[in-house]
Amino acid sequence: KKKTNKLLNSTVYVIFNLFFHITSPFLAPCIPTNVSATLNCTSNITSITWHSALGATWYLVKAVSSQGDKTSCNNTVTNCDIPNLQCGQEYSITVTGMNGVCMGPANQPVTLVSAPCHNTGIQASLDCRSNSALISWTPGNGTLSFNATLQSFQDPQKHSCFTNGSSCNIGSLPCGQHYNISVTGYGQTCSTCSKTLVTLDTAPCVPTKVNVSLSCGSDTASVSWAASSGLVSYYTVTAVDDNRHTLTCNSSSTSCDISGLSCGQAYNVSVTAMSYLNSECLNYTPCAPQSVVSQLLDCRTGDVQISWQSSKGAQIYYAQAKSSDKTLVCNSTSTSCIIPAVGCGQTYNITVIAEANGCSSNASVTSQVTAGPCVPQNVSASVSCSSNIASVTWGSSQGAELYTVTASSANGPSANCTSTSTSCNLLTLTCGHSGNSAPVQVQAGLFLISYHDSFKMPCTPSNVLPTVDCVTNALVVSWTPGAGGQYYTATLQDSNGLSTTCQSSGSQCNVTGLRCGQLYHVNVTASDGLCSSPPSATVNTNSGTEKRIHAYTCLYTLYTSHSSSHRDFLLN
């Protein structure tokens, strides 16, 4: 019985200790896993969830933005909500398990981008002639793209434009409309609308049902019409005779009397509805800029400077450069601006307009500028060893009219050629020089490209000297190496036309097994693995002086010529 009680007590002790170590608050909790964060764009509440961490009795969630904003929440379960994160910021979110005493390690941060900030500073201006609206704004933080919308109670159609910038243009607006303008910004996950209410009125519509009545014997005509849709400040009635003399009257109602008519004259009568906006357009539309000049400042960078004479009434100018595939713009409050990096190989039509009070002038007379040619591509060169000519080819370069090809060596003269096509031959290349050769270069305008597989022609060896060794019945041929040569071949030809050769990468080689009684002609060529030099020059043997050497059974007669590059000898 005592043994049974002792065993029972031991078992209880083990179970107690095991339970204590598992649940003890003195052990740090594990790392929470599968942490995720989701933003509710409508409520601007961020919900964070995770899997439970062993040993944690509650959890602390921290959110820290890239701009230093900090917020947190805590919970005893595996989710937590953080409301109202600062707009337009990227937050790093971590979850840490806690118990009564210890804090566990946090998870790897999870990134969340908050909703974009509201766009501010919305402005709208109307081009009275085209009834198009230019909408501009200051982008809110975190906004990647924008949609500007015009909506009217009278016009069931929404008019909008989409852009990644801070302004866009909405054209072909109907007359007589009062529009509310909103700009929606789109962030990484959410969108936001502008808060400030901005409105725009288009030009009033053309008056209709115009009626003119004239009393006999009177110089006054009564004109009436139907009211125009839109924001109308007043109406202007104009009567023009055949001599272009003009009479006018203004009215805030739908009728007006024109006096001072001349007898016997026919008049054309028109009625124009005016608002304060398009009245300003009539009074303050600037003149079209004159004397537009465009100049390519730098062929390499492609910067174009555009200048013009000032226009009366202008507040700002917009210069446009348009090619077959793109349009570039610069603006200025003075009389010049620069469009950077227009590219290469294209011709641009340049126009300038002036703007004041939201009204634009007619475009200027078109000027043209041509960018520098593009860089030549796909350059290759091949050498003809027999003719010592290098043929260079390349792909056509947009905008290029003439190409220049240059091949130069580190220590020697350059070879060059020009062409209006895509190939060119470099003539009479100089044989190899010591040092590395410069690569072939093809130039179109100021743009230059190098072909990096350089080449050089080996030079002919000089001071060729054959020496007979009567003891070994062998011949030693020596020479002075030619520049550019990597290995050399000495050729011996006897009087019967039979040839014997030896090769060396140095300045001499040995030939054995020569026959008695033969006259041998010796020359040496250099090679670089691609091309061989011309052989050393051949000289007639009868121009040499004779030397006789007696040794063993053979008498060798050696003829040495006056040429340093060729030797003949006779083996007797």
Side-chain angles (χ1 to χ4, degrees):
K1 186 175 181 181
K2 288 183 178 181
K3 288 183 178 180
T4 302
N5 291 336
K6 186 176 182 181
L7 179 61
L8 180 61
N9 291 335
S10 298
T11 303
V12 171
Y13 177 79
V14 170
I15 293 173
F16 174 79
N17 278 277
L18 179 62
F19 178 79
F20 177 80
H21 282 290
I22 291 176
T23 61
S24 172
F26 297 102
L27 297 177
C30 295
I31 300 174
T33 58
N34 293 358
V35 177
S36 66
T38 305
L39 175 64
N40 186 317
C41 297
T42 303
S43 63
N44 198 24
I45 293 176
T46 301
S47 298
I48 301 98
T49 61
W50 59 91
H51 287 180
S52 60
L54 187 63
T57 58
W58 62 283
Y59 300 90
L60 175 64
V61 180
K62 294 181 179 180
V64 180
S65 79
S66 54
Q67 299 181 19
D69 179 56
K70 297 179 181 179
T71 185
S72 64
C73 66
N74 61 78
N75 208 340
T76 58
V77 294
T78 57
N79 62 77
C80 193
D81 291 341
I82 298 179
N84 302 322
L85 292 180
Q86 294 293 319
C87 64
Q89 298 189 34
E90 182 178 280
Y91 283 84
S92 294
I93 297 174
T94 58
V95 181
T96 304
M98 312 285 286
N99 57 34
V101 175
C102 294
M103 174 187 294
N107 64 292
Q108 287 293 324
V110 174
T111 300
L112 176 82
V113 178
S114 61
C117 297
H118 293 285
N119 305 304
T120 59
I122 299 174
Q123 295 182 340
S125 60
L126 181 71
D127 185 329
C128 305
R129 288 183 175 86
S130 62
N131 248 1
S132 62
L134 176 64
I135 316 298
S136 62
W137 57 88
T138 300
N141 285 341
T143 310
L144 304 177
S145 58
F146 307 87
N147 188 35
T149 303
L150 275 66
Q151 190 169 13
S152 169
F153 292 112
Q154 298 87 6
D155 182 7
Q157 180 182 357
K158 284 186 178 181
H159 302 269
S160 61
C161 56
F162 188 85
T163 180
N164 294 327
S166 58
S167 66
C168 64
N169 194 76
I170 301 176
S172 303
L173 297 174
C175 65
Q177 299 295 319
H178 177 78
Y179 286 104
N180 292 323
I181 300 173
S182 63
V183 179
T184 302
Y186 297 91
Q188 184 170 305
T189 55
C190 298
S191 61
T192 182
C193 292
S194 53
K195 287 186 174 181
T196 305
L197 179 63
V198 177
T199 62
L200 177 73
D201 289 284
T202 58
C205 296
V206 176
T208 59
K209 299 180 181 180
V210 177
N211 181 59
V212 180
S213 61
L214 180 66
S215 299
C216 296
S218 171
D219 66 349
T220 300
S222 296
V223 185
S224 63
W225 55 89
S228 297
S229 299
L231 182 63
V232 179
S233 302
Y234 61 94
Y235 297 90
T236 295
V237 180
T238 304
V240 182
D241 66 18
D242 295 335
N243 297 319
R244 309 300 297 173
H245 295 151
T246 301
L247 299 173
T248 62
C249 66
N250 295 327
S251 174
S252 57
S253 64
T254 56
S255 64
C256 186
D257 292 337
I258 294 181
S259 59
L261 301 175
S262 300
C263 62
Q265 289 286 344
Y267 288 88
N268 290 320
V269 177
S270 62
V271 181
T272 304
M274 305 292 291
S275 71
Y276 289 117
L277 177 62
N278 65 3
S279 174
E280 289 178 357
C281 280
L282 291 175
N283 292 330
Y284 296 109
T285 297
C287 299
Q290 302 294 320
S291 304
V292 175
V293 176
S294 52
Q295 178 184 3
L296 186 65
L297 294 179
D298 192 322
C299 289
R300 290 186 176 87
T301 62
D303 296 346
V304 173
Q305 183 180 52
I306 304 168
S307 58
W308 55 88
Q309 288 184 353
S310 61
S311 298
K312 185 177 180 180
Q315 295 174 340
I316 191 171
Y317 300 90
Y318 293 90
Q320 173 181 276
K322 188 173 184 179
S323 70
S324 58
D325 63 354
K326 61 182 175 181
T327 300
L328 304 171
V329 177
C330 65
N331 63 73
S332 174
T333 56
S334 63
T335 57
S336 68
C337 66
I338 294 176
I339 297 179
V342 299
C344 64
Q346 291 191 322
T347 297
Y348 290 84
N349 292 322
I350 309 295
T351 55
V352 183
I353 62 170
E355 186 176 290
N357 302 313
C359 300
S360 300
S361 72
N362 293 325
S364 66
V365 176
T366 300
S367 170
Q368 280 193 339
V369 65
T370 300
C374 298
V375 177
Q377 302 294 329
N378 302 322
V379 179
S380 64
S382 60
V383 182
S384 172
C385 299
S386 58
S387 62
N388 202 23
I389 293 175
S391 296
V392 184
T393 62
W394 56 90
S396 61
S397 173
Q398 186 177 4
E401 298 177 354
L402 181 69
Y403 301 90
T404 300
V405 181
T406 303
S408 59
S409 66
N411 301 313
S414 299
N416 56 69
C417 59
T418 58
S419 175
T420 56
S421 63
T422 57
S423 63
C424 193
N425 291 332
L426 296 168
L427 307 177
T428 60
L429 296 175
T430 304
C431 67
H433 292 274
S434 60
N436 296 322
S437 295
V440 173
Q441 295 178 330
V442 179
Q443 183 171 357
L446 294 180
F447 291 94
L448 188 72
I449 189 169
S450 295
Y451 173 67
H452 294 282
D453 290 337
S454 59
F455 57 84
K456 51 188 175 182
M457 303 287 292
C459 294
T460 302
S462 59
N463 301 322
V464 176
L465 178 63
T467 303
V468 177
D469 187 341
C470 291
V471 176
T472 61
N473 197 25
L475 176 69
V476 178
V477 182
S478 63
W479 58 85
T480 300
Q486 296 178 3
Y487 62 89
Y488 302 86
T489 301
T491 303
L492 286 69
Q493 188 177 50
D494 64 17
S495 55
N496 296 321
L498 298 176
S499 297
T500 304
T501 62
C502 62
Q503 290 185 332
S504 172
S505 59
S507 58
Q508 67 176 39
C509 65
N510 299 334
V511 181
T512 60
L514 299 179
R515 294 178 296 163
C516 295
Q518 294 293 324
L519 177 65
Y520 286 88
H521 304 276
V522 182
N523 62 56
V524 181
T525 59
S527 176
D528 62 358
L530 176 64
C531 290
S532 296
S533 72
S536 53
T538 301
V539 179
N540 294 329
T541 60
N542 59 10
S543 64
T545 60
E546 182 180 281
K547 294 182 180 179
R548 292 183 180 273
I549 303 175
H550 298 275
Y552 298 98
T553 60
C554 291
L555 174 63
Y556 300 92
T557 303
L558 177 65
Y559 292 88
T560 59
S561 73
H562 295 294
S563 170
S564 63
S565 59
H566 173 82
R567 290 291 184 269
D568 295 335
F569 65 93
L570 177 64
L571 185 59
N572 292 324

